Amino acid sequence: MPASLSAVKHKIASTKSTRQITSAMQMVSTSKLNQIQKHTKTYQVYAAKVNGVISHLAQAHIFNLVSAGGNSSVSPLAVQRPVKKTGILVITSDRGLVGSYNSNIIKSTLDFMREHDLNKDNTVFLTVGNTGTEFFTKRGMNIAYQYSGVNDVPKFVDVREIVKTVTEMYGNEVFDELYLSYSHFVNRISSRVQTYKMLPISEESLESTVDDTESDSEEHQVGPEYEFEPSETDILSAVLPQYAESLVYGAILDAKTSEHASSSNAMRSASDNADDLIASLELQYNRARQAAITTEITEITGGQAALE
């Protein structure tokens, strides 16, 4: 077999092996996506209830009362102070092979920094995922906290450490406001990066996190006057930590769902490209083989003619 035919045949075999790997990875990612979607549906019921309670409290305007009074002993998560340092909690993946998933999050975060005049001197990063940690570390950003190894289908106990650390850092004034940046899962072929304020919790920040349709529903059409039992401060001290936990855990669930979808799409595209490449190589191989056969026939015919 000529060297050119042997090389093309080797490329075909190698590409077929790659296609088998990418097809298997697509199946794994799709399986993980199905699992986490089932888990997310059950969690959304709890998150909706917590958001409902918080939206009621917001309509009672007790957030303004707490923040205005600076009552940090009641609920430090709702106390507003002059912004000297801005924290950004960025959720990326621990590995590659997820298409444009990580690059979209990082690009959106950098755009957000430019729009708000943020730089390495007035910004503190909290990163979930090795990709974000490595990117911002190489660029000299201040990484105050990093976490990696989030499970493919994360449970709440897996992120409790993250929530505890975030709230403690805010209470210790490591940063004065915190934004959450991650990829929101829209459907299996689409996602979009979301960036919104998480801390301090206020009526303004609630507008970007509580679903408009939920707050406009008949169930949530309530008046601004309430009688609280126990007191407003007791309710806030109990509910706000749960709300912060639901925001972080919900974002990680959402981000992981988007990651699995992006990985599945990337592996499907890789498999499709491998199929196209195999077809092109097989056509090239057949043409080269036919040319070699034609050359051999011509040589034999020429030899016979010379003998005659």
Side-chain angles (χ1 to χ4, degrees):
M1 182 181 296
S4 58
L5 284 176
S6 179
V8 173
K9 190 174 182 179
H10 177 73
K11 287 182 180 179
I12 293 174
S14 176
T15 306
K16 286 182 177 179
S17 298
T18 302
R19 183 185 60 182
Q20 289 179 344
I21 295 173
T22 55
S23 297
M25 293 179 69
Q26 179 190 349
M27 293 176 61
V28 171
S29 296
T30 302
S31 176
K32 292 177 180 179
L33 177 59
N34 293 334
Q35 292 178 32
I36 199 171
Q37 281 187 300
K38 293 178 181 178
H39 187 72
T40 302
K41 287 181 180 179
T42 59
Y43 169 75
Q44 287 174 342
V45 177
Y46 165 78
K49 294 297 182 181
V50 174
N51 287 348
V53 173
I54 294 296
S55 64
H56 280 208
L57 296 177
Q59 292 181 34
H61 303 295
I62 63 176
F63 285 96
N64 291 340
L65 295 176
V66 173
S67 60
N71 196 350
S72 60
S73 62
V74 175
S75 180
L77 301 180
V79 175
Q80 301 187 38
R81 53 180 179 259
V83 178
K84 299 177 182 178
K85 287 276 188 180
T86 297
I88 304 178
L89 176 58
V90 182
I91 303 174
T92 57
S93 69
D94 288 321
R95 57 183 179 82
L97 301 178
V98 288
S100 61
Y101 173 81
N102 290 312
S103 60
N104 288 340
I105 297 170
I106 292 173
K107 180 180 181 299
S108 179
T109 302
L110 294 177
D111 291 341
F112 175 82
M113 293 180 65
R114 282 191 291 269
E115 292 172 2
H116 293 78
D117 296 324
L118 299 177
N119 51 58
K120 61 182 180 180
D121 296 324
N122 59 10
T123 306
V124 174
F125 278 92
L126 298 87
T127 56
V128 177
N130 287 331
T131 303
T133 302
E134 293 174 359
F135 178 87
F136 292 110
T137 298
K138 289 180 180 178
R139 281 150 185 80
M141 299 296 181
N142 182 9
I143 309 294
Y145 175 76
Q146 61 186 54
Y147 186 92
S148 61
V150 177
N151 291 333
D152 292 324
V153 184
K155 298 180 180 178
F156 176 75
V157 67
D158 299 330
V159 302
R160 180 168 291 173
E161 175 189 341
I162 302 175
V163 178
K164 180 181 179 182
T165 303
V166 167
T167 54
E168 286 180 351
M169 293 176 73
Y170 182 75
N172 295 332
E173 300 188 13
V174 176
F175 46 82
D176 304 300
E177 62 178 359
L178 178 66
Y179 287 87
L180 196 57
S181 181
Y182 67 98
S183 179
H184 167 62
F185 174 78
V186 178
N187 53 52
R188 289 177 177 256
I189 60 175
S190 177
S191 62
R192 66 173 182 270
V193 179
Q194 288 188 339
T195 303
Y196 58 81
K197 181 182 285 189
M198 174 182 167
L199 296 175
I201 300 174
S202 63
E203 293 185 39
E204 178 184 357
S205 65
L206 283 170
E207 292 178 358
S208 61
T209 55
V210 177
D211 187 22
D212 293 336
T213 58
E214 180 183 7
S215 61
D216 292 339
S217 65
E218 183 178 353
E219 179 183 354
H220 293 86
Q221 290 299 323
V222 292
E225 300 294 335
Y226 292 91
E227 291 184 2
F228 293 95
E229 180 65 34
S231 65
E232 299 98 319
T233 55
D234 290 336
I235 293 175
L236 278 178
S237 62
V239 174
L240 288 187
Q242 296 183 43
Y243 178 67
E245 292 171 350
S246 71
L247 283 183
V248 176
Y249 181 52
I252 291 177
L253 272 179
D254 197 4
K256 270 293 179 182
T257 306
S258 179
E259 178 186 337
H260 294 323
S262 181
S263 177
S264 177
N265 292 333
M267 293 302 99
R268 184 179 65 250
S269 296
S271 298
D272 293 342
N273 291 337
D275 287 332
D276 294 339
L277 181 57
I278 290 171
S280 176
L281 288 172
E282 287 179 342
L283 179 61
Q284 180 181 348
Y285 176 80
N286 291 332
R287 286 178 175 174
R289 187 164 174 269
Q290 289 174 354
I293 293 173
T294 302
T295 301
E296 291 178 2
I297 294 174
T298 302
E299 291 175 352
I300 293 173
T301 305
Q304 289 179 342
L307 292 174
E308 294 176 355

